[in-house]
Amino acid sequence: MSATTIVSLPDQATAQMPKRSYLNNEHGLLSWLLTADHKRIGMLYLLSITFFFFIGGAFAGLIRLELLTPQPDLVASDTYNKFFTMHGIVMIFLFLVPSVPATLGNFLLPIMIGAKDLAFPKINLLSWYLYMAGGIFTLASLVLGGVDTGWTFTTPLSTHYLNTHVLTTATAIFIAGFSSIFTGLNFIVTIHRMRAPGMTWFRMPLFCWSQYAASLLMVLGTPVLAIAIVLLALERLFGIGVFDPAKGGDPLLFQHLFWFYSHPAVYIMILPGMGVISEVISTFTRKRVFGYTAVAFSSVAIALFGFFVWAHHMFIMGVSNYSALVFSLLTMLVAVPSAIKIFNWAFTMQKGSITFETPMLYAFGFIGLFTIGGLTGIFLGSLGMDVHLTETYFVVAHFHFVMVGGMLMAFLAGIHFWWPKLTGRMYPESLSKLAAVVTFIGFNLTFLPQFVVGYLGMPRRYHAYPAEYQVLNVLSTAGATILGVGYMLPILYLGWSLKYGAIAGNNPWQATGLEWQIQSPPLTENFLETPIITHEAYDYEWLEEKMKLEKQEVTHVG
């Protein structure tokens, strides 16, 4: 193990940003709003999801403030219902689902496989506009008074008994869903049809494999959510009776349709994050990912198994004991490919030349928090324990350990890893390491107490609770404050780095991916010549030889 850094920057006294790049190839707001360049669209997504992240985060802050005391003394009950509903909807549909695929995936996927763009550039731009339209509808429902169904839109609550802006919000999710479908379709076609010569399936970086698996889920799962939302709208507007038992309908049908999408949606969110972690761990251990093939196929296996476990969300809803038993067993199967990834990342680090740059700190955070989230998922997948724990804060803690502890840490690892490529600039390393540590501490202080308070019986979605739970809730709110600081710091120093950061050069991490072999920030066309791939992914010997040749050429010319 090594504690030295691998960062290699050009001489700052003479270094210059490239004269031409995707950032300055065209000027003016319209050149961005009408662009078909996948990199610019990725940056548009990055700005958009950051905005919605802070909207969703503000609701989380209000929820934690309310829960500081056992009495409902900050807001009324119906307002609290709107807080947790808007928090869930904004965070899941407008931040977590598009976070890695729409930002880093859009920017990097074509470059990583040697393509000049995605297969359908204009559809890619359309997907961003659809995302923004979904966001505007969500903001409209917020301004008009909000919605209080919970992000799960449970029927018949959402169809018969609530008078808030259910249809406006459902329309927002319906539109944003098409954005997700178009992005997934674009990625699948691009990977199948536009790989550079020599870029075989098993030479692709694992980030591309994870994007491919997540794209399959987006394309196959999201239409089911769209159907559920259309039926909900028809039921609410015209009372067609599909979910109404009085008319021969079945409210459980909505649950089946909703969770058939929403459980695979967890893997839409987490799989791209796992791809980020594979890239980061390989780079900062200077080793090929252990068991590359197993890690690649485990992404596909997670996507496949994800379609067969939806009913574990419905164990207490009246499904038959026999089907519950089958879904409980199937749920355990998902742990296998997930564990393959964790073990293979651990073996990759074994005897590796590990360095502790900021992306690696976030990757360590991901592995720890995702593992806790995954292991607690086994409790919830077990029939007997689930009956006790479901609808309590234990579920909230489990979900946030997987999605926020896992996915958000992976997103931040990816942003810090590829920031030099996105912008051509470095960020202050000490401050970024501090942010990673603060985020990790704040996250654990926020959500570990929720496992305990949930196990003790505190239900979720209540803003009043018995006084004996207050200490744990105060700890959780204190942790959320620290977590908020951890999330604000990157906004500040990454914004600062855009003008004042050190010039990064093409490959500051000495990584092997194709994206690191071109200039930073890249040209609009990515490559001047189509690359021909002759080496495996994560081949550091190939990189070493390449760097030697380049050095000899410079010496010879000199």
Side-chain angles (χ1 to χ4, degrees):
M1 183 182 295
S2 167
T4 57
T5 180
I6 61 167
V7 177
S8 173
L9 300 181
D11 181 1
Q12 295 298 302
T14 57
Q16 290 183 334
M17 292 288 283
K19 290 183 180 175
R20 190 170 71 87
S21 72
Y22 81 97
L23 288 172
N24 60 15
N25 193 40
E26 293 178 279
H27 298 280
L29 183 61
L30 276 181
S31 73
W32 281 85
L33 295 179
L34 300 177
T35 185
D37 181 357
H38 65 99
K39 298 178 289 299
R40 284 192 167 202
I41 295 170
M43 296 303 278
L44 289 173
Y45 266 116
L46 182 59
L47 290 173
S48 312
I49 70 160
T50 302
F51 170 75
F52 285 111
F53 172 74
F54 281 97
I55 296 280
F59 282 112
L62 291 168
I63 292 168
R64 289 314 321 168
L65 272 178
E66 171 60 69
L67 293 175
L68 261 178
T69 56
Q71 300 80 25
D73 43 15
L74 182 65
V75 293
S77 303
D78 57 343
T79 307
Y80 183 79
N81 292 345
K82 292 173 183 175
F83 281 0
F84 69 71
T85 301
M86 296 305 294
H87 167 68
I89 286 171
V90 171
M91 281 301 199
I92 289 172
F93 296 108
L94 298 177
F95 175 71
L96 286 170
V97 168
S99 58
V100 172
T103 58
L104 297 174
N106 247 322
F107 195 102
L108 295 160
L109 182 72
I111 305 176
M112 292 173 98
I113 63 170
K116 293 191 174 181
D117 207 325
L118 287 169
F120 308 114
K122 290 181 180 176
I123 289 180
N124 194 25
L125 181 62
L126 174 63
S127 72
W128 179 71
Y129 276 105
L130 288 171
Y131 169 83
M132 290 305 296
I136 289 168
F137 268 86
T138 305
L139 290 178
S141 71
L142 172 65
V143 171
L144 293 172
V147 64
D148 57 354
T149 59
W151 75 275
T152 46
F153 290 92
T154 305
T155 57
L157 188 68
S158 59
T159 52
H160 288 71
Y161 301 110
L162 295 176
N163 296 314
T164 52
H165 296 276
V166 178
L167 285 182
T168 311
T169 315
T171 305
I173 294 169
F174 184 81
I175 295 172
F178 278 94
S179 166
S180 187
I181 292 170
F182 288 157
T183 299
L185 188 65
N186 229 332
F187 285 4
I188 291 171
V189 177
T190 302
I191 290 173
H192 272 274
R193 304 296 300 172
M194 297 180 68
R195 300 193 310 277
M199 179 60 81
T200 62
W201 281 88
F202 293 102
R203 282 179 176 169
M204 278 200 312
L206 288 165
F207 179 79
C208 300
W209 273 96
S210 67
Q211 293 288 340
Y212 182 77
S215 298
L216 291 175
L217 290 170
M218 287 183 203
V219 172
L220 297 176
T222 312
V224 180
L225 176 69
I227 292 167
I229 288 174
V230 168
L231 289 174
L232 184 148
L234 292 174
E235 179 89 9
R236 191 174 172 89
L237 286 172
F238 306 111
I240 61 173
V242 68
F243 301 131
D244 185 355
K247 296 180 180 177
D250 184 355
L252 267 188
L253 175 61
F254 178 83
Q255 295 293 319
H256 282 291
L257 292 172
F258 182 83
W259 289 114
F260 184 81
Y261 163 79
S262 293
H263 193 81
V266 170
Y267 306 119
I268 291 174
M269 299 179 229
I270 199 71
L271 275 170
M274 290 172 162
V276 170
I277 299 304
S278 293
E279 301 300 319
V280 170
I281 286 181
S282 171
T283 298
F284 295 102
T285 56
R286 320 302 298 163
K287 281 179 67 182
R288 190 169 194 258
V289 174
F290 179 84
Y292 167 95
T293 309
V295 176
F297 278 118
S298 67
S299 294
V300 180
I302 290 173
L304 180 67
F305 293 160
F307 278 117
F308 300 106
V309 298
W310 78 91
H312 72 214
H313 295 271
M314 303 166 60
F315 286 162
I316 62 164
M317 295 182 186
V319 295
S320 82
N321 289 337
Y322 298 108
S323 73
L325 179 63
V326 170
F327 277 103
S328 179
L329 292 173
L330 287 171
T331 300
M332 301 303 161
L333 276 182
V334 181
V336 176
S338 302
I340 286 173
K341 287 185 182 294
I342 299 290
F343 283 123
N344 284 25
W345 291 329
F347 278 114
T348 304
M349 286 187 273
Q350 185 189 29
K351 296 184 180 178
S353 300
I354 301 174
T355 54
F356 296 90
E357 281 80 10
T358 306
M360 192 63 171
L361 295 188
Y362 278 112
F364 278 126
F366 170 92
I367 292 173
L369 300 179
F370 176 76
T371 301
I372 294 173
L375 290 174
T376 51
I378 294 175
F379 287 73
L380 294 168
S382 306
L383 271 174
M385 286 297 287
D386 183 77
V387 170
H388 173 69
L389 295 172
T390 195
E391 302 298 334
T392 70
Y393 258 87
F394 192 94
V395 176
V396 176
H398 157 71
F399 181 76
H400 282 78
F401 260 85
V402 174
M403 289 292 96
V404 183
M407 180 58 224
L408 196 47
M409 293 295 266
F411 176 68
L412 289 171
I415 288 293
H416 285 83
F417 182 53
W418 281 296
W419 188 256
K421 184 56 58 182
L422 269 58
T423 65
R425 298 276 184 178
M426 296 298 290
Y427 44 80
E429 185 70 11
S430 301
L431 199 53
S432 58
K433 286 181 176 175
L434 174 67
V437 173
V438 169
T439 302
F440 185 78
I441 293 171
F443 180 85
N444 279 293
L445 190 56
T446 304
F447 293 105
L448 278 176
Q450 293 182 15
F451 278 125
V452 181
V453 81
Y455 184 78
L456 292 174
M458 179 172 166
R460 62 176 180 165
R461 298 182 172 180
Y462 280 61
H463 72 332
Y465 56 85
E468 60 261 35
Y469 297 150
Q470 185 173 13
V471 172
L472 291 165
N473 275 293
V474 169
L475 282 175
S476 194
T477 301
T481 309
I482 297 170
L483 191 57
V485 173
Y487 291 149
M488 282 302 298
L489 283 173
I491 293 291
L492 298 176
Y493 63 71
L494 290 178
W496 174 90
S497 77
L498 289 174
K499 186 169 183 180
Y500 302 105
I503 293 174
N506 295 349
N507 193 358
W509 311 125
Q510 302 174 60
T512 58
L514 265 184
E515 76 274 24
W516 297 108
Q517 315 311 319
I518 60 175
Q519 71 173 43
S520 305
L523 293 165
T524 299
E525 60 270 33
N526 295 343
F527 304 96
L528 292 173
E529 297 178 1
T530 302
I532 298 173
I533 313 304
T534 57
H535 59 280
E536 306 295 320
Y538 318 113
D539 188 343
Y540 290 94
E541 291 179 359
W542 166 83
L543 180 68
E544 197 174 326
E545 288 298 317
K546 178 176 176 288
M547 291 171 70
K548 276 182 188 173
L549 285 174
E550 288 174 353
K551 195 173 180 181
Q552 285 171 2
E553 285 175 9
V554 170
T555 307
H556 180 70
V557 171

